[in-house]
Amino acid sequence: MQKIASSGFHLYGFTFFVDLLVVSIMYLLNQVIDVTTSAFVLFFAPVIITAWYFGLKAAVFSTVLTGLAIVYFFLPPINSLILGEEGVIQASLFLFQSFLFITPVTLLQNKSTLTKLVETPQNQEQCFDYVTKLEETKAALWQSQSWLQTIVENSPNAIYIKDLDGRYLLFNHQCETVFNVSRCQVIGKTDYDFLPDEIAEAYRCNDRQVIELGKSLEFEEFCIINSQPVTVLSLKYPLYNCEGILYGICGITTEISDCKHMEETLIKQAEELAKINRIKDDFLTTVSHELRTPLNAILGWSQVLRSGKLSDTIVAKALETIERNARSQKQLIEDILDVSQIITGKLHLQISLIDIVPIIETVINISLPSVVAKQLQLRFVHDEVKDKILGDSDRLQQVIWNLLSNAIKFTPSGGSIEINLKIEEWQKTTEQQNLACASSLLKFVVIEVKDTGIGIKPEFLPFVFDRFRQADGSTTRSYGGLGLGLAIVRHIVELHGGVIYVQSEGEAKGATFTVKLPLVNNL
């Protein structure tokens, strides 16, 4: 039977009740027999019972109550608390013997209660379950921590944690690679301790925004990797403890330099495509205008001829105008077809050995009427050229004619044009060049077409040979043409293994186009 646990009021109340019950029984027995001589030992019953069930304090309380009851009701003089010599001895023996009983009984009861608590199967099972759950929780916590540490250390992203003052609390392996510093040099320190001040200040400013707003933010930041500035994307978010108090921030940084470079490249390509589309739109507008202008002249003069009764002078003028505009339209169409062949890779050369001087002279003779009409001075200066060129005579004639017709077109009346032809030699300097060429010198024929015309703006010089590009692309420009001639010229020259370039000191200062073609002796 287990020890009764109760409040102080119940404890002493039960003790008083037991004492009262025993004393009452003894009082009734005393009316029949003298309990002081035969059954006085029964008075120890309430003391022993209260000691066993209620503990030491209750037993002492029971001893005092029982002793008072014995003195008052059973020891002479009866019904008085005054004792004689014999009564004092009996009362003292009772108290002494009661305390002798109380001590071992109390100790035995405490030991029995403790043994029962320890040996109770239910308590053992609960203790075992608690220890088992504690071990399982410990193992799960260790496993989670191991997983987290493995993920953080092997992440391709730089992961770090800072406190509110910017001191690093965590710094993973990728951070060491990105920032080129070991974690032992960083933990407990701030960005100012190992980064340039401007970068550290930028990082700290972004950190403050996260701390002040209390939410995750994304930033494009810069850092130095292998002495090279790179762009990184940093996601930073606040960290709170179990009480909801902000104690730091975590950052996850990814290098995006390649993505930024690709983005910038795509933007440039988009801008270039938009620019090309705009140029093509302008070109289509120019084509429609250039084709319509000679066609209107042809149709107009054809209607005049159909009216009849015209003088010979008007008829001759009409036919000359129709022929000139038809040739102009034919040239425009041929230029468009040539560009189409260049784009599709179908422009081919009819190669043969040719002399360059007769080709230039033929182009000059064809252009003489235009030169005379504008009162221009045209000179052809050339050295004696005995070596031949391996190329297409018709295409080279097209090259010379385009350059000369441009010079005539853009040179005002009274100006001058000069065509220079000469041979240039170049000493070979590399072993590859010696193996590729039979002779020790490389020879080139150089053709220069100089004019005193309107010149070329410096900002337009890099685009002179581009397709669909003209210095003045509007339909109201002073000079006609599609802007294809020089692009065709460059392609033909490059097909012959040569180069072409232009020089001009600016507007109204003329221009010089130079063509270099390899001679046969280089082969």
Side-chain angles (χ1 to χ4, degrees):
M1 192 173 187
Q2 291 184 354
K3 182 178 179 180
I4 299 175
S6 59
S7 65
F9 176 78
H10 291 159
L11 183 69
Y12 294 111
F14 284 130
T15 301
F16 179 79
F17 175 77
V18 171
D19 286 347
L20 179 63
L21 179 62
V22 172
V23 170
S24 299
I25 293 172
M26 295 298 292
Y27 183 78
L28 292 175
L29 288 174
N30 193 48
Q31 302 301 320
V32 179
I33 61 174
D34 186 5
V35 297
T36 58
T37 60
S38 61
F40 193 75
V41 70
L42 295 177
F43 284 108
F44 292 107
V47 176
I48 295 172
I49 292 172
T50 53
W52 181 261
Y53 288 108
F54 301 130
L56 179 63
K57 292 181 180 180
V60 172
F61 180 63
S62 177
T63 300
V64 173
L65 287 178
T66 303
L68 291 174
I70 290 171
V71 170
Y72 190 80
F73 292 107
F74 300 103
L75 295 177
I78 303 301
N79 298 328
S80 173
L81 294 176
I82 300 173
L83 294 173
E85 183 177 350
E86 185 180 354
V88 171
I89 295 172
Q90 288 183 329
S92 298
L93 287 174
F94 173 77
L95 292 176
F96 178 73
Q97 290 173 347
S98 295
F99 283 111
L100 288 178
F101 283 118
I102 288 173
T103 302
V105 169
T106 303
L107 291 175
L108 286 173
Q109 175 59 26
N110 289 338
K111 182 178 180 182
S112 175
T113 303
L114 181 60
T115 302
K116 290 179 180 179
L117 288 174
V118 173
E119 294 180 355
T120 300
Q122 183 179 1
N123 289 339
Q124 286 182 340
E125 184 177 352
Q126 291 177 351
C127 183
F128 180 76
D129 290 342
Y130 175 77
V131 173
T132 301
K133 291 180 179 179
L134 183 63
E135 290 297 327
E136 291 176 351
T137 303
K138 180 180 178 183
L141 181 61
W142 179 88
Q143 185 67 70
S144 298
Q145 185 176 4
S146 176
W147 286 345
L148 179 60
Q149 184 176 3
T150 301
I151 292 171
V152 169
E153 283 303 308
N154 294 279
S155 172
N157 300 322
I159 302 176
Y160 51 87
I161 294 177
K162 302 178 184 177
D163 64 15
L164 298 181
D165 294 324
R167 290 186 293 268
Y168 281 92
L169 305 177
L170 183 144
F171 202 76
N172 75 339
H173 176 70
Q174 185 63 19
C175 279
E176 295 180 310
T177 302
V178 170
F179 296 102
N180 194 28
V181 60
S182 64
R183 71 187 69 188
C184 62
Q185 298 175 296
V186 172
I187 299 299
K189 297 182 180 179
T190 68
D191 293 314
Y192 294 96
D193 296 320
F194 64 94
L195 291 174
D197 288 345
E198 60 273 12
I199 295 180
E201 182 60 31
Y203 289 178
R204 186 57 182 160
C205 180
N206 294 338
D207 295 347
R208 290 194 192 100
Q209 292 187 46
V210 176
I211 294 171
E212 292 171 0
L213 297 178
K215 64 178 183 180
S216 60
L217 296 174
E218 202 171 61
F219 305 95
E220 277 192 13
E221 298 177 330
F222 295 93
C223 65
I224 307 297
I225 299 180
N226 296 327
S227 303
Q228 297 295 326
V230 297
T231 304
V232 296
L233 183 65
S234 296
L235 174 63
K236 300 184 178 182
Y237 52 90
L239 297 176
Y240 297 91
N241 61 17
C242 59
E243 298 177 353
I245 300 175
L246 180 67
Y247 72 88
I249 65 169
C250 179
I252 303 176
T253 296
T254 306
E255 183 184 350
I256 59 170
S257 295
D258 293 339
C259 294
K260 290 292 292 184
H261 178 69
M262 185 178 296
E263 180 183 352
E264 292 172 357
T265 301
L266 290 175
I267 291 174
K268 289 181 180 179
Q269 289 178 349
E271 293 176 349
E272 188 65 25
L273 288 175
K275 188 176 182 180
I276 291 173
N277 287 331
R278 185 171 62 253
I279 292 172
K280 287 183 177 179
D281 291 340
D282 294 341
F283 172 72
L284 291 176
T285 303
T286 302
V287 167
S288 62
H289 175 76
E290 290 296 325
L291 291 177
R292 186 172 58 249
T293 300
L295 184 60
N296 289 337
I298 292 172
L299 291 175
W301 281 105
S302 297
Q303 291 173 355
V304 172
L305 290 175
R306 287 173 61 88
S307 65
K309 298 181 181 181
L310 299 175
S311 64
D312 294 340
T313 304
I314 294 178
V315 170
K317 182 178 180 182
L319 292 175
E320 188 272 332
T321 302
I322 290 173
E323 181 181 4
R324 185 177 67 254
N325 283 278
R327 291 181 181 277
S328 175
Q329 195 171 52
K330 176 178 178 291
Q331 184 60 49
L332 293 174
I333 295 173
E334 287 179 349
D335 286 347
I336 294 174
L337 292 175
D338 285 343
V339 169
S340 176
Q341 289 179 334
I342 290 172
I343 293 175
T344 58
K346 295 180 179 179
L347 183 63
H348 302 294
L349 303 179
Q350 301 296 326
I351 303 297
S352 62
L353 290 174
I354 56 175
D355 292 325
I356 191 65
V357 175
I359 293 176
I360 298 176
E361 290 175 343
T362 300
V363 173
I364 291 174
N365 291 331
I366 295 173
S367 304
L368 276 179
S370 299
V371 173
V372 173
K374 293 189 70 173
Q375 299 179 355
L376 301 176
Q377 295 181 4
L378 176 60
R379 289 196 309 159
F380 178 33
V381 180
H382 62 91
D383 299 332
E384 184 178 358
V385 180
K386 295 180 180 180
D387 297 308
K388 296 183 180 295
I389 295 175
L390 193 62
D392 187 327
S393 60
D394 292 334
R395 290 299 182 181
L396 288 177
Q397 182 174 319
Q398 183 180 354
V399 169
I400 305 301
W401 185 87
N402 267 290
L403 295 178
L404 183 56
S405 61
N406 273 350
I408 294 171
K409 181 195 298 186
F410 295 110
T411 301
S413 298
S416 63
I417 299 173
E418 183 177 314
I419 300 176
N420 294 320
L421 177 64
K422 57 186 177 180
I423 302 296
E424 281 190 0
E425 294 182 349
W426 182 51
Q427 181 70 41
K428 294 180 293 187
T429 57
T430 66
E431 183 178 351
Q432 289 81 359
Q433 292 169 348
N434 289 325
L435 293 175
C437 302
S439 62
S440 60
L441 294 176
L442 296 175
K443 287 187 177 183
F444 296 89
V445 60
V446 180
I447 306 167
E448 292 180 346
V449 180
K450 296 182 180 180
D451 64 62
T452 58
I454 62 173
I456 303 173
K457 297 178 181 179
E459 60 270 20
F460 187 71
L461 274 175
F463 310 106
V464 167
F465 297 102
D466 289 355
R467 292 193 298 267
F468 315 124
R469 295 295 292 267
Q470 291 179 298
D472 182 5
S474 66
T475 57
T476 59
R477 64 195 187 283
S478 303
Y479 305 95
L482 300 178
L484 299 177
L486 291 177
I488 296 171
V489 165
R490 181 180 65 176
H491 189 75
I492 293 173
V493 170
E494 290 175 351
L495 285 178
H496 282 82
V499 294
I500 182 171
Y501 54 89
V502 61
Q503 294 173 306
S504 177
E505 296 182 2
E507 290 186 274
K509 294 185 179 180
T512 301
F513 286 84
T514 303
V515 176
K516 286 186 177 183
L517 298 171
L519 294 174
V520 175
N521 74 321
N522 290 340
L523 303 178

